[in-house]
Amino acid sequence: MVVSGDGDLTAIGGNHLIHAARRNIAMSVFCVNNGIYGMTGGQVAPTTPLGLNTVTTPFGNAENPFDICKLVGAPAPPSWRAGPPTTAADRQDRKKAIQKKGFAFVEVISQCPVEFGRKTGMGNSVQMMEHYKQNSVSLAKAKTMAPEELTGKIVVGEFLDINKPELIETMAAVRAKAMASGGGD
Ligand SMILES: Cc1ncc(C[n+]2csc(CCOP(=O)(O)OP(=O)(O)O)c2C)c(N)n1
């Protein structure tokens, strides 16, 4: 199990993340996404919304943010996004992700009142939580909404749940082939 920030997972460890997903390694990854490098003082992250002022983008962020669930979903491992507050449904998702064979990914939307809320004018932790709560839309509802209605919304739910052999299984199959051919150890 891996619990990490959005900066560590999508910037500093971005390469590890996409290849762990691609190789379908038996891991459950929980990304606590506050949209910023919080611990180091509020620098822009690959998840920071376009146009946002941060310590390193004082006149606005010129870059588009990653949609992390789509990013890890590209090689088709399961992925979920959970918006606050934690509901029973969210907890079910998290349980499912832990029990999932192969790679599983959960993005948890989180507030960073000190480095994000205070500097962007979103307010304190309660106000940020309220904002995220009010702007979270279930995947089922999002499917009925027009793209313009979804601007600024956080779509939450189960994005993908596909069963594929995990890396250890595919490696065992290759090893068995090598052994049968006499080329293995
Ligand atoms: C390889 C490496 N580069 C840079 C750092 C410095 N560093 C520590 S935490 C951090 C930002 C983490 O941001 P995030 O993962 O979003 O977590 P948050 O603090 O927002 O919860 C950075 C750049 C580091 N620890 N390791």
Side-chain angles (χ1 to χ4, degrees):
M1 285 205 20
V2 176
V3 179
S4 177
D6 51 290
D8 284 342
L9 271 178
T10 65
I12 304 153
N15 219 23
H16 295 281
L17 177 71
I18 57 173
H19 292 288
R22 176 183 64 81
R23 298 166 84 199
N24 202 25
I25 297 177
M27 297 172 89
S28 299
V29 179
F30 290 79
C31 174
V32 182
N33 183 2
N34 58 13
I36 207 143
Y37 284 10
M39 193 170 73
T40 44
Q43 297 86 354
V44 70
T47 46
T48 304
L50 184 71
L52 200 90
N53 290 14
T54 71
V55 167
T56 45
T57 58
F59 301 102
N61 176 22
E63 301 175 9
N64 288 297
F66 268 143
D67 182 327
I68 319 178
C69 284
K70 279 197 185 144
L71 179 73
V72 297
S79 60
W80 293 267
R81 184 180 295 124
T86 304
T87 62
D90 291 341
R91 282 197 291 275
Q92 275 308 108
D93 282 349
R94 288 165 209 195
K95 189 172 166 193
K96 211 170 156 183
I98 291 169
Q99 291 173 340
K100 190 77 197 172
K101 209 170 89 179
F103 188 92
F105 184 83
V106 179
E107 178 187 351
V108 181
I109 304 298
S110 166
Q111 82 279 47
C112 174
V114 174
E115 301 298 351
F116 195 112
R118 195 160 52 103
K119 292 177 183 165
T120 58
M122 273 179 79
N124 62 29
S125 54
V126 175
Q127 288 166 319
M128 287 191 82
M129 190 64 97
E130 268 309 312
H131 172 87
Y132 288 143
K133 202 171 142 184
Q134 277 161 19
N135 286 285
S136 292
V137 174
S138 72
L139 194 54
K141 189 169 176 215
K143 284 181 181 155
T144 68
M145 292 166 70
E148 55 273 18
E149 288 179 290
L150 284 169
T151 308
K153 299 281 184 249
I154 304 158
V155 181
V156 299
E158 181 177 301
F159 291 86
L160 270 176
D161 188 6
I162 292 170
N163 292 313
K164 287 203 303 191
E166 53 141 335
L167 185 66
I168 297 292
E169 291 172 309
T170 50
M171 281 177 76
V174 171
R175 186 170 188 275
K177 252 190 192 171
M179 294 292 280
S181 76
D185 57 356

